[in-house]
Amino acid sequence: MILLNDKIHVEKDDLRRIFYIKDEDKAVPFYIQNAIVDLIFEEGGFKRKYNDLNDLELIEDKFIKKVINIIDNLYKVPSKTDYSDKYITYIWYYLPNNMYKVWQPLVDLLIAGELKNKIKVLDIGTGPATLPLGIIEFYKIIAENLKDKEFVICFHLIDSQKKFIDYANYLISKVLLPKNLKVQVNSLVANVKDDSILKKDFKYDIISMSNFINHFEHEKDFDAFKLLKNLRDNLNDDGSLIIIEPGSEFECISFKKIRNKLVNEGIYNIFSPCIPIWEDRDKINCACFSTYIMEVKKPELIQFLLSKGLKKFKNREHVAYNYTVLRKDGLYKYRIERNKQSFFTIKEIFEHQEKEFRANIKGIVKKKSNKNLSFCICDGTMPNKDYWIKIDESALNDTKEAIKKLNMGEKISIKKLKVIKKENKVNMILDIKSKLQLFY
Ligand SMILES: C[S@@+](CC[C@H](N)C(=O)[O-])C[C@H]1O[C@@H](n2cnc3c(N)ncnc32)[C@H](O)[C@@H]1O
């Protein structure tokens, strides 16, 4: 990892070696969970005894049951959520659940060498600083690996709920920072409307929002497109708009429709994850359902609630969500490949006349099924359908293992993919003769 012209650059290996991308489930640090317990105790009027997570056992059952009941019933009806009786519930369950979602958009920027050492971030609908805490943890790793360089994150946090802003300030104040990482926080309690316009001279490297534009946060007449369009003027020329949304099919598709409109009207380009391989694209109409799957170690705070009867995602060891990174400089996470050499596009595979042949292809992973050992890729040439690649029994074990760890938005290349056409169906099979190459 190096710092070049104020931007951080990584080698392919760094993502796995330094950030343990793919190799370790994300675990919420003890000190963040313990600071959340501080707030739970303060709010509940309880007194801490051990100053660690064992204190959870001291909380009255009635209090815990109320929290569990809210979690099991929250976000079921798509209408504006009233948080006034849910602040504690949010920090207890949703903060640890959502905190690391921002890592993948940051990894995308890192891969393209587009993450700066000094950044100004505007986080809208910040809640208890869920996403900023994720950014800080990410930068801590970078700062610890580049000890002789200085890193600064200047946050502007906005939320309509004063309580959340108070929690946000408290939790960030508890973060343990390496000496070469400075974090500044400016926070504002404000109701952001779709026609909210920030002063044009407020410019940011990252404007982020997580779980903000969906149907659980606004009245029906809220126009997310309008808000996102207005924010363009507040992005630096090489800035990124990071939008993270829930993993449900309904939210995913409505979110992608807004994204498409922003792209098709020339306001932003998609930087990641849905990008073409072979040719630039200034129009996009695909709104397929796909989710990013993040493997997590269930935070102790959530394990405790499960032990007390929480049902939500009881057996799930991952967090599924959707995200996109938009920019206005035309940049993509992976550079467009101008030289096709011996590769087929997916469209060419479908148009090819032979009934059985082998083809080299490249694409961005769209979906994956570990159960059926198959995955689906897109290269931008036939975006509206899912084209699944099956893994044959004969495939090498290393290949099978690598496929299990694939995730949405990853670029891959397959040499000698077996293609069999039968009765209008195209079967794509990765077998012992095929060679899978991963970007990281
Ligand atoms: C689901 S929470 C997300 C919090 C945090 N970003 C996260 O991902 O955990 C939505 C947040 O948006 C805030 N919010 C909703 N409507 C808002 C508005 N019009 N202006 C400012 N904040 C708003 C809520 O108070 C809440 O904190």
Side-chain angles (χ1 to χ4, degrees), residues 5-22:
N5 300 329
D6 299 331
K7 289 187 176 169
I8 304 148
H9 295 261
V10 285
E11 299 286 326
K12 272 188 196 178
D13 290 354
D14 288 345
L15 293 171
R16 294 184 79 154
R17 193 175 55 81
I18 299 176
F19 295 92
Y20 302 112
I21 299 294
K22 294 190 173 185

Side-chain angles (χ1 to χ4, degrees), residues 82-83 135 162:
D82 172 7
Y83 285 102
I135 295 184
K162 179 171 182 312

Side-chain angles (χ1 to χ4, degrees), residues 75 80 83 90 94-95 98 123-131 158-161 164 190-193 209-212 214 217-218 222:
Y75 305 132
K80 187 172 170 60
Y83 285 102
Y90 201 88
Y94 292 94
L95 189 164
N98 293 343
D123 189 41
I124 300 180
T126 194
T130 315
L131 184 145
I158 304 185
D159 202 280
S160 57
Q161 306 298 305
F164 274 144
N191 193 17
V192 177
K193 301 208 177 101
M209 50 193 82
S210 127
N211 302 304
F212 177 72
N214 57 73
E217 300 305 326
H218 304 281
F222 175 78

Side-chain angles (χ1 to χ4, degrees), residues 237-251:
D237 290 343
D238 60 353
S240 304
L241 175 60
I242 297 179
I243 308 165
I244 296 170
E245 281 296 307
S248 72
E249 183 164 359
F250 176 65
E251 293 300 345

Side-chain angles (χ1 to χ4, degrees), residues 333-372:
K333 172 180 173 185
Y334 303 109
R335 247 181 268 151
I336 295 290
E337 307 226 4
R338 304 284 172 200
N339 186 353
K340 250 177 85 251
Q341 294 171 331
S342 59
F343 284 84
F344 278 64
T345 65
I346 293 182
K347 191 160 184 238
E348 284 166 351
I349 287 192
F350 276 73
E351 289 169 354
H352 195 73
Q353 295 298 322
E354 281 175 279
K355 289 261 177 288
E356 200 170 321
F357 58 102
R358 289 207 175 248
N360 300 338
I361 60 165
K362 287 188 183 186
I364 304 289
V365 176
K366 206 165 148 180
K367 300 177 186 188
K368 185 184 69 165
S369 162
N370 278 351
K371 203 167 120 214
N372 301 326

Side-chain angles (χ1 to χ4, degrees), residues 197-239:
I197 296 181
L198 297 177
K199 280 193 190 151
K200 288 221 181 344
D201 52 347
F202 282 22
K203 298 275 188 196
Y204 298 92
D205 300 300
I206 291 179
I207 299 180
S208 55
M209 50 193 82
S210 127
N211 302 304
F212 177 72
I213 60 171
N214 57 73
H215 298 85
F216 300 108
E217 300 305 326
H218 304 281
E219 305 295 352
K220 281 206 168 60
D221 58 354
F222 175 78
D223 184 347
F225 170 80
K226 205 158 143 192
L227 171 69
L228 297 171
K229 181 181 170 186
N230 284 342
L231 288 170
R232 186 184 196 277
D233 290 338
N234 301 104
L235 261 193
N236 279 326
D237 290 343
D238 60 353

